[in-house]
Amino acid sequence: MINNNNVLIIGAGLCGSLLALRLAQRGYKVDVYESRPDLRKVDISAGRSINLALSDRGLKALRLCGMEEKAREICIPMFGRLMHDRAGNTFASNYSGRENEYINSISRGDLNAILLDEAEQHENVTIHFNSGCKKVAIENKIAYFKNYETNEQFKVKADVIFGTDGAGSSLRKSYVSERKFLFSYSQNYLNHGYKELEIPADKNGNHQISKQHLHIWPRGDFMLIALPNRDGSFTVTLFLSYDEGEYNFNYLTSEENIIAFFEKEFPDALALIPNIKEEFANNPTGPLGTIKCSPWSYQDKTLLMGDAAHAIVPFYGQGMNASFEDVFVFDEILNHFEDSQETINWEMVFKTYHKARKKDTDAIADLAIDNFYEMRDHVANPLFKEKRQLEMNLEKTFPNQYSSKYSLVTFNEHIGYKEAMDKGRAQDKALLNLIADDEVHTHLEITQKELKVILEKVLQETNEILKEDKIAGL
Amino acid sequence: MINNNNVLIIGAGLCGSLLALRLAQRGYKVDVYESRPDLRKVDISAGRSINLALSDRGLKALRLCGMEEKAREICIPMFGRLMHDRAGNTFASNYSGRENEYINSISRGDLNAILLDEAEQHENVTIHFNSGCKKVAIENKIAYFKNYETNEQFKVKADVIFGTDGAGSSLRKSYVSERKFLFSYSQNYLNHGYKELEIPADKNGNHQISKQHLHIWPRGDFMLIALPNRDGSFTVTLFLSYDEGEYNFNYLTSEENIIAFFEKEFPDALALIPNIKEEFANNPTGPLGTIKCSPWSYQDKTLLMGDAAHAIVPFYGQGMNASFEDVFVFDEILNHFEDSQETINWEMVFKTYHKARKKDTDAIADLAIDNFYEMRDHVANPLFKEKRQLEMNLEKTFPNQYSSKYSLVTFNEHIGYKEAMDKGRAQDKALLNLIADDEVHTHLEITQKELKVILEKVLQETNEILKEDKIAGL
């Protein structure tokens, strides 16, 4: 039995509730404090149903906690992208050449609810809602809260404090303000923001467009995407610059401009969004930021996890998956350090976790930014289109020998993000250069034998690129 | 004549005083507020004589302001590195194969003094000392100060405010705290800190080791460097981890440990630093941080320049040079926008400057970090040693056809840091891989004809690398 096991978790969002569940399963005494009301009792989504993409890294962590099946029950599988052009034509592009590789649309609220339900099944877990953390005195391990129902202020002391309080983390802000150690920190915003809209269900409660796809309306400088909800609706997100280019959020302030913009750029989507005027005016425009920091922990006292440690932009669909994978990696490290100890050495646990995990969360942050530019700049690039087509072919024909960067990141949960990034980038570079130099190309009647030759070339060139980078110390 | 020409500059350090001088030369009315006393009247160096490396980019900006000759009078040319091993053996390594390419050791205080003197020659410049900026109300262009002699608080309004107040910039902090726009910001610390020590002049006032070199005692995880001063002394800097490795600043707290460390690692230096015990105890241990941010300006009101906008680590000797080059680039943009206008469009000036300059200051920040790892990890790597030797040979034999990365960054002031970085990195990669693959190698009796073949190979391979990166969208 472990002695120093009074755990305080700040934030009962997706990461905090999964962490609470896992630590409870391991026997810790867990108190979770959440600033918002209990989302199972109060609708806090302001009329919007936010959904996310759940994929293999997230599922791996849910499986660890016995939650995979319950999560799958509320999932809608999406097997690929469906691109919409201005004329309303659509083009499908699968996520993988392998059939069992797909991502899942899931409601943030519903997933959070089943995690809270499961955590509360454990008598060693208490969740306190409406309790906003104001600051943490990290030296003394005391967190200061305000109860938003009673306006009462109170403080809580614990053996160890976890900050899973998201991109605006109060624990992270306390690291900055207390200045007890050299804290490396970055917040980087894209020039784009996002706004959510809704395609409602038809009158029979059915989806109006394919629910087996993540829909994309790529337009270079801006884009619209849509993910299906289980009630037949889609949550639509517009990504657009705040102030650059012909169209931007600063320009789209009149109903007239908004409608004209959608009529020109997204006529098929416009026809499906009946409340666009109200939604555009009332739904907030959110920023798209990346947060990195280091170290995540202070001595044996506090640790940042999830978005609080590494908020990323949504363009790889990995934000939630990375946060869930944090819990998985942390659990593996607890396995190692809990062995035969009566008190756990939290400082060693935190340092080992940071060392094991930091490179991977940095990598997924960079990959998500890459994908923003890739979607924006390369979507109409014939070289990139041919590459994508060739990769599908390779994955279909050689399912055990080839995985694209997207597959490595999304479906190969047994390797870290960093390894997926390094290998995936080298592969992309090899493929693009082989195509550009006309050394490989795909065509309709390509034979398996021809593809095999291409595969060998790509693998050889990829290894060459990785070797040369290594020699140059990159 | 320009109307909105009341300029407030926060900080009269190297960048602020050069900027004040240049804006005065252009006819602006300039008020400079500096938190410290006038360094020409009060010795504020706390007994330490800090020196810096002045090279071609800095000289280019000084030339623009008519200050090159005065600066050269107080320079000590350093033609290369002199490496010291544990046994006291030394090995010289020139900065370039070209004779006219060298860097200069210069006293920060002396250089600052001649810039202040020259700025004050202009009646449209007023410098206010002992005036610490507390915050800036950026919307109203009001800076708030405290006079450190009288403790009086006061505020100043201007047409435009420049923050040249260094890595801890109060203008930059106001960008963060006022939250009027999405401000991307990063502070990244190395695990190493630094501490300054002194090798005094001999009893005749002469330098005890070669003053024509920048001395380096490279030891992998840590290193010592020394730059000459005009009074015969050297300023020595120890770069060492705070808490990692066998030796670190946390470990070096007793005189016994300090002396044992120097006896083992730097015996020849130890013999030249008589006051090591006092200096080690009394001189502060400074952090090594990189600061990046964006945007640098707010509307037509404020602009960050120099370290306030982009503080970098000292391992490329480019901190001051980059700040001076800021003034040069800004001046070029003023040339463009001042033409035939009665009021200057500061917003366009600031945006154009940011667009022109940001990629270059990001590049030198990254190059400086690279050099930290290169010095630490590669100094004993035979591949890197052979590369360096080959490059010297190429520069000597083909002075107009080959420039190493170091030369491109340090001596090729007509290209930006970003271009120097991209080309220099590709060249390094080409050379290292050609050497590793045994396709090129240098030897004592290498002929010009053999070298010419190597040059062609390197240039071709470099272009190939740049082309492949471009195709991959890197």
Side-chain angles (χ1 to χ4, degrees), chain B residues 336-353:
Chain B
H336 183 70
F337 281 92
E338 271 184 6
D339 278 357
S340 69
Q341 294 190 12
E342 285 188 7
T343 58
I344 191 160
N345 185 337
W346 286 116
E347 183 159 13
M348 280 305 298
V349 170
F350 294 165
K351 281 197 171 167
T352 309
Y353 169 68

Side-chain angles (χ1 to χ4, degrees), chain B residues 275-323:
Chain B
N275 299 320
I276 188 163
K277 291 177 189 172
E278 297 74 22
E279 288 169 1
F280 209 98
N282 298 333
N283 291 348
T285 305
L288 295 164
T290 301
I291 288 172
K292 293 180 182 173
C293 62
S294 173
W296 290 335
S297 61
Y298 178 59
Q299 298 179 355
D300 60 346
K301 302 168 194 291
T302 61
L303 177 69
L304 298 167
M305 286 177 82
D307 281 4
H310 48 74
I312 65 178
V313 295
F315 303 102
Y316 229 109
Q318 285 293 319
M320 167 178 61
N321 293 291
S323 294

Side-chain angles (χ1 to χ4, degrees), chain B residues 229-245:
Chain B
N229 298 310
R230 286 200 303 150
D231 65 1
S233 67
F234 281 82
T235 302
V236 179
T237 309
L238 170 65
F239 297 98
L240 177 70
S241 172
Y242 280 100
D243 53 14
E244 290 178 359

Side-chain angles (χ1 to χ4, degrees), chain A residues 173 176 179 182-190 192 242-243 287-288 351 378 383-384 425 428-429 432-433 436-437 461 464-465 467-469 471-474, chain B residues 173 176 179 182-190 192 242-243 287-288 351 378 383-384 425 428-429 432-433 436-437 461 464-465 467-469 471-474:
Chain A
K173 285 176 184 165
V176 174
R179 302 173 67 109
L182 288 180
F183 185 52
S184 294
Y185 170 73
S186 72
Q187 56 182 43
N188 280 297
Y189 294 100
L190 297 178
H192 281 52
Y242 280 98
D243 53 12
L288 295 164
K351 281 197 171 169
H378 302 154
L383 206 57
F384 277 75
R425 282 182 174 174
D428 281 356
K429 188 174 176 178
L432 288 165
N433 275 287
D437 296 348
E461 192 60 27
E464 187 66 20
I465 287 168
K467 195 202 85 187
E468 287 179 1
D469 282 351
I471 285 171
L474 298 174
Chain B
K173 285 177 185 163
V176 174
R179 301 173 67 110
L182 288 179
F183 185 53
S184 293
Y185 170 73
S186 71
Q187 58 182 42
N188 281 296
Y189 295 99
L190 297 179
H192 281 52
Y242 280 100
D243 53 14
L288 295 164
K351 281 197 171 167
H378 302 153
L383 206 55
F384 277 75
R425 282 182 175 174
D428 281 356
K429 188 173 174 178
L432 289 166
N433 275 285
D437 295 348
E461 192 59 29
E464 188 65 21
I465 287 167
K467 196 202 85 187
E468 286 179 2
D469 281 352
I471 286 170
L474 298 176

